[in-house]
Amino acid sequence: MATELSEQELALADVRQRAVADLEQIGTTEDLEEWRTRYFGRERGEVSAILKGLGKLPPEQRKAVGQAANALKAELEGLMEARGQELRAAERLAALDRERLDVTLPGRRAARGHIHPISQTIRDISRIFRLMGFQTLDGPEVETDYYNFQALNIPVDHPARDMQDTFWVVPGQILLRTQTSNNQIRIMEQVRPPVRAIVPGKVYRHEAIDASHEAMFHQVEGILVDETCTMSDLRGVVTRFAREMFGANRKVRFRPSYFPFTEPSAEFDIDCIVCDGKGCRVCKYSGWLEMGGSGMVDPRVLRGVGYDPTIYRGFAFGLGIERIAMLRYGIDEIRLFSGNDLRFLRQFT
Ligand code: DAH
């Protein structure tokens, strides 16, 4: 028995030690492939080189070294195979982990919009008038001079035009409506009485802007025509509206006024919702808040749409929607409605 190790046996022991140590450092199947080439590669693999060199050894050494080299080869291949399995399993798990779906995680809340306070007010107004049998209709914002003025008894040189500074699209012919009253005409032209409708929508006036005036704002027009309607019906409808909107005990007051398309005409107020009529800053110490204009549809207007004023009578009214929204939400600056400031809008979620 040889007690001294041959040069080749030492070389094998050295290769083994390095190969095993290197294998332990390996973290990926790619590195493992590199390792395989380093030791078993056909051209330069260290174990392959030893096996190839066997032929040059003296015959008495050849057998022992050959056996040892083959044993090392088998051992290292076994280790490589085992390491390969571990690494492939770990890589599969890591891939699964990247795709993992935790179905118990709470969902992410999607940002949700909400109704603008003006739209909400319009919806509430429509609901209240629907209770009284009014349907809600729509009409054009770009309008002709005829529907916005002339058919409403406001001829070209009428001084009432000065009250509503107009944005003209085609000067003298086409305009942005200055009032929703254009729809009185449009509705009556299309249907025979009885008529009972409201039309909410945007109106435009070329005026100086401040905390209570905007160049674009909203009105709601109301019209009722049948054979028996009177001014006290108008009063009843407006009062019911005020009470549904602002509280069951609201008082409504009518003041004589003038509008070219109604005769008689009246403006109406409600007792101040802030101070209940005692007088405060909001009602400018009058105890009353102006709500809108109204009146009995002028016979000339009825005749213009082909209604016989000896048979039919009607009333109409117009309300400012911003005014209503400002009162119900306690807002003192009209420009907030169209300012698109989220700090304002988020308060209405
Ligand atoms: N259109 C009028 C305005 O903008 C408001 C108005 C007054 C409407 C009397 C009416 C009405 O229907 O009858 O000032």
Side-chain angles (χ1 to χ4, degrees), residues 8-9 12 51 62-74:
Q8 284 73 25
E9 283 169 320
L12 283 171
L51 288 168
R62 208 178 286 159
K63 190 177 174 213
V65 176
Q67 276 176 355
N70 276 313
L72 175 63
K73 180 172 187 247

Side-chain angles (χ1 to χ4, degrees), residues 39-69:
Y39 293 100
F40 292 103
R42 246 182 226 246
E43 297 296 321
R44 282 201 194 77
E46 292 193 40
V47 178
S48 314
I50 291 168
L51 288 168
K52 265 191 236 165
L54 283 176
K56 288 180 205 132
L57 288 176
E60 67 276 11
Q61 285 183 18
R62 208 178 286 159
K63 190 177 174 213
V65 176
Q67 276 176 355

